[in-house]
Amino acid sequence: MLPPTERKKTVESIERVMMGTSMVKINGTHLTESNAIGCLKSHPPQLTYDGGFSEIKEQEMFKEATSLPSYLRSRGDQGKRNSRASSCPNSSDLSRLETKAVSKDNLQDENTETEVDDIFWNTKIVPILHELEKEENIEMVCAACTQLHHALEEGNMLGNKFKRRNILLKTLYKLVDVGSDPLSLKLAKIILALKVSRKNLLNVCKLIFKISRSEKNDSLIQNDSILESLLEVLRSEDLQTNTEAFLYCTGAIKFLSGNPRFLNEMISKDAVEILMNLIKQINENTKKCGTCFPNSGHLLVQVTATLRNLVDSPLARRKLLSVSALPQLCIVMGQYLDDADVCTNIARMFSKLTSYHDCCVALASYSRCYALFLNLINKYQKKQDLVVRIVFILGNLTAKNNQAREQFFKEKGSIPTLLALFRTFYKLDLHSERRQGEGREQPKAQVEDVLIKLTRVLANLAIHPGVGQAMAASPHVVGLLLTMLEHKSVDDCEELVINTTATINNLSYYQVKNSIIQDKRLYIAELLLKLLVSNNMDGILEAVRVFGNLSQDRDICDFIVQKNIHKFMIALLDAKHQDICFSACGVLLNLTVDQDKHVILKEEGGIKKLVDCLKDFGPTDWQLACLVCKTLWNFSENITNASSCFGDEDTNTLLVLLPSFLDEELALDGTFDQDLKNYHKLHWETEFKPVAQQLLNRIQSRHTFLEPLPIPAF
């Protein structure tokens, strides 16, 4: 099988020797190999001619093997393609011409064309052929081949209809024996342009494939525009008749796609459309016949690996979307579920594509993809490189799409499948820890990577209200999440702990009677203490968010005060981090619902820090400004004098800030685009304005602007 990520630097059965200016004798002709071009030590690739001018012998190019090489995973020989009809009329052809009553004028035109062809052949082509037979320098032979190609193109003698085609091929095949890569590429380009068929097409594709395996030949391939010739083979030849030739052809293209220099050329020459058309043909044939034809799996490995290399290009992604490629690729995965290489290539492609919104939407809209991904997880549960990508794809699909969350959840066995995978890799994680303790290296990071991406999927699914409530009530889901927090620290595995805490946060949002999260809220609060006191700000943020949800219950509020967590929340208001201030303020708001806990805001300068948050973030985050105002409203529930409640400085600040924030022109005069301006206005009108106006009225009604008179002197 071809290597998945990089081409082999060496070529099996080919050994190069430096020849300097040595002479090579082929069919009586001496050729000089300049520039130290290597030659095949074993019998060189051969395209042989039978001595006549009627048909090319279909012999194997490589003497040593008739089956596919191991790196292309041969499964069997292919059927032979029917011979093409000779371009020279035979007796039966002539009789058909007579029955069609061809006019004498037409015959004269044909004779005239033949005379013109003869003149062009004798004056333009024959001299080049003589030069090819006599020239001894390889560079000169290559130049002559280039000249020959241009002349044939000028004389409209390419293709398979030209009557002297066989003479050309005879000369070209002899030169293949030289074994020079630059010359072989020149010859291959002409041979392909002459539209050879059957074994000769296979052999020339093998020749290009072997040359393409070495990166040092990329510049030669690019200079001779061999890529265009290979794509033309895939575009114009019959797939089922030439499956093995297509295999070598796509193998060469796959190698080239690993070089960034070829990507733009491939895409501009419709490689995406051509390769997707091959996939469509394979899908249709499999559906029609009920079985996969030989070598189709090997061919798909090369095609999907090439597409995987192309999808980094924005233009390639647009082309894939325009030809509805994603459903076709899903169909391939379903039909070749037993082929791990094909499935892995497509999974790698999807993991790249779903990182882009338009591609993510396109895949999510193909409803059958969810059952397909679950089948792959069940089949390849311990194949880390495949399942980690499938889970990553599911995480992308469910990140911002509520319909995708619901569709996946409704698939039979969706959550149990994820949990089974979770348990499998959790056990592998424990096992790898033990083995590392014994000094044996294990891919622990790879195991954790699956767990990280699994918790991300669970967190995304929990955003959907129906799905989230069901998950919150599942002992299996909550149990596994708590197990992660029990055995992992943010220092050991930051992303896993943060994702797990985020999932618990999403589930804790649902205040339902049968919630396991609610039943275990005190235990969860205990587990989160170590995350709160860590040095990881992202971890602290997720922990504070959970406390924001859990602190709606009085026993959690008591726990917070008992453990002095409220002081930590007040301190976080100084973080100048908008999200952290929002979450910390949410916890303080819940605490102030209980009148007995109002006093805690007096500690650690809580009131001043809340007012500072309002001043710093109010104009850009009206939801945060609303939380601050609600907290101050609760705190001032039994206010008799504003200054005694908030203090003179903070009272005066509020009396200035609130009126300005309640002025629509001033409050919404931000440099935002229209969509963002509408978003801000919505939250300003519906959330901030009502509570801020009430708070301002309360402060104004309980504040005196009179100044005390000075004590008179006696």
Side-chain angles (χ1 to χ4, degrees), residues 5-48:
T5 56
E6 61 179 357
R7 70 182 69 195
K8 294 181 181 178
K9 305 293 182 183
T10 60
V11 180
E12 296 169 10
S13 77
I14 296 180
E15 183 178 336
R16 295 206 168 268
V17 294
M18 303 305 290
M19 297 186 63
T21 57
S22 61
M23 305 289 289
V24 181
K25 185 174 182 179
I26 302 295
N27 295 326
T29 301
H30 290 81
L31 298 178
T32 303
E33 178 74 62
S34 62
N35 298 327
I37 298 175
C39 181
L40 299 180
K41 182 177 181 181
S42 59
H43 194 280
Q46 292 189 48
L47 288 165
T48 59

Side-chain angles (χ1 to χ4, degrees), residues 220-479:
L220 297 175
I221 292 171
Q222 190 170 36
N223 293 338
D224 285 326
S225 301
I226 296 298
L227 176 61
E228 187 172 359
S229 301
L230 293 173
L231 291 173
E232 181 58 29
V233 170
L234 301 181
R235 191 203 309 269
S236 60
E237 297 297 331
D238 179 69
L239 169 60
Q240 293 192 52
T241 307
N242 299 287
T243 306
E244 195 174 350
F246 274 41
L247 179 57
Y248 282 96
C249 183
T250 54
I253 293 173
K254 182 261 178 182
F255 280 145
L256 300 179
S257 70
N259 186 332
R261 288 186 298 164
F262 284 96
L263 293 185
N264 289 335
E265 182 184 356
M266 281 190 179
I267 296 166
S268 65
K269 295 187 184 305
D270 298 332
V272 172
E273 293 88 341
I274 291 169
L275 295 175
M276 283 309 307
N277 185 53
L278 285 182
I279 287 177
K280 187 177 180 181
Q281 288 182 58
I282 293 172
N283 286 341
E284 290 174 351
N285 181 78
T286 304
K287 182 179 179 181
K288 180 180 178 181
C289 302
T291 184
C292 307
F293 59 82
N295 283 333
S296 59
H298 312 325
L299 179 60
L300 282 169
V301 171
Q302 313 309 318
V303 172
T304 54
T306 304
L307 288 171
R308 182 195 71 217
N309 290 335
L310 296 179
V311 296
D312 289 323
S313 162
L315 179 57
R317 293 193 295 271
R318 289 197 294 271
K319 284 173 172 273
L320 285 168
L321 290 175
S322 69
V323 297
S324 301
L326 276 65
Q328 289 293 333
L329 292 168
C330 285
I331 292 171
V332 169
M333 282 183 118
Q335 292 176 345
Y336 290 81
L337 202 64
D338 292 332
D339 194 318
D341 296 314
V342 171
C343 292
T344 300
N345 277 345
I346 297 176
R348 293 179 69 183
M349 205 185 313
F350 282 169
S351 65
K352 290 183 178 182
L353 290 172
T354 54
S355 298
Y356 301 92
H357 177 71
D358 50 356
C359 297
C360 195
V361 170
L363 183 58
S365 64
Y366 183 68
S367 59
R368 296 181 183 178
C369 73
Y370 305 105
L372 171 64
F373 294 148
L374 288 170
N375 287 338
L376 285 164
I377 290 173
N378 284 320
K379 184 173 184 63
Y380 295 104
Q381 196 170 93
K382 292 187 178 181
K383 185 172 171 52
Q384 187 273 345
D385 62 329
L386 177 53
V387 294
V388 74
R389 289 181 171 87
I390 297 297
V391 177
F392 178 71
I393 294 162
L394 288 173
N396 290 343
L397 294 177
T398 56
K400 297 180 180 179
N401 191 325
N402 227 23
Q403 185 179 0
R405 295 167 190 144
E406 183 176 4
Q407 280 187 289
F408 176 79
F409 180 73
K410 287 183 176 179
E411 288 292 339
K412 184 178 179 181
S414 58
I415 299 299
T417 296
L418 294 182
L419 296 183
L421 186 64
F422 204 115
R423 293 187 193 96
T424 296
F425 276 85
Y426 175 63
K427 290 177 182 176
L428 288 173
D429 184 55
L430 293 178
H431 183 64
S432 66
E433 285 180 353
R434 287 196 296 268
R435 292 178 68 88
Q436 280 188 330
E438 298 167 5
R440 287 177 286 181
E441 190 174 337
Q442 289 290 313
K444 180 177 170 60
Q446 294 178 8
V447 173
E448 285 183 345
D449 198 25
V450 176
L451 295 173
I452 289 166
K453 289 173 173 55
L454 268 170
T455 51
R456 175 179 175 240
V457 175
L458 294 175
N460 291 345
L461 290 173
I463 296 172
H464 187 285
V467 179
Q469 290 179 30
M471 291 172 61
S474 169
H476 301 295
V477 172
V478 176

Side-chain angles (χ1 to χ4, degrees), residues 450-505:
V450 176
L451 295 173
I452 289 166
K453 289 173 173 55
L454 268 170
T455 51
R456 175 179 175 240
V457 175
L458 294 175
N460 291 345
L461 290 173
I463 296 172
H464 187 285
V467 179
Q469 290 179 30
M471 291 172 61
S474 169
H476 301 295
V477 172
V478 176
L480 281 174
L481 295 172
L482 296 184
T483 298
M484 285 294 102
L485 290 186
E486 290 165 354
H487 293 90
K488 295 288 182 180
S489 72
V490 72
D491 295 328
D492 294 333
C493 189
E494 175 184 1
E495 196 172 356
L496 178 56
V497 171
I498 290 173
N499 283 2
T500 302
T501 310
T503 308
I504 291 173
N505 172 57

Side-chain angles (χ1 to χ4, degrees), residues 505 540-549 551 569 572-573 577-590 624 627:
N505 172 57
I540 291 171
L541 173 59
E542 291 303 332
V544 173
R545 284 172 172 166
V546 177
F547 274 108
N549 287 331
S551 59
M569 297 298 167
L572 288 176
L573 296 176
H577 186 294
Q578 197 164 330
D579 289 336
I580 287 179
C581 288
F582 182 90
S583 299
C585 191
V587 175
L588 295 173
L589 171 61
N590 289 339
L624 172 54
L627 282 184

Side-chain angles (χ1 to χ4, degrees), residues 87-101:
S87 59
C88 298
N90 54 27
S91 58
S92 62
D93 294 327
L94 292 174
S95 65
R96 280 200 304 275
L97 291 175
E98 290 173 2
T99 59
K100 291 182 180 179

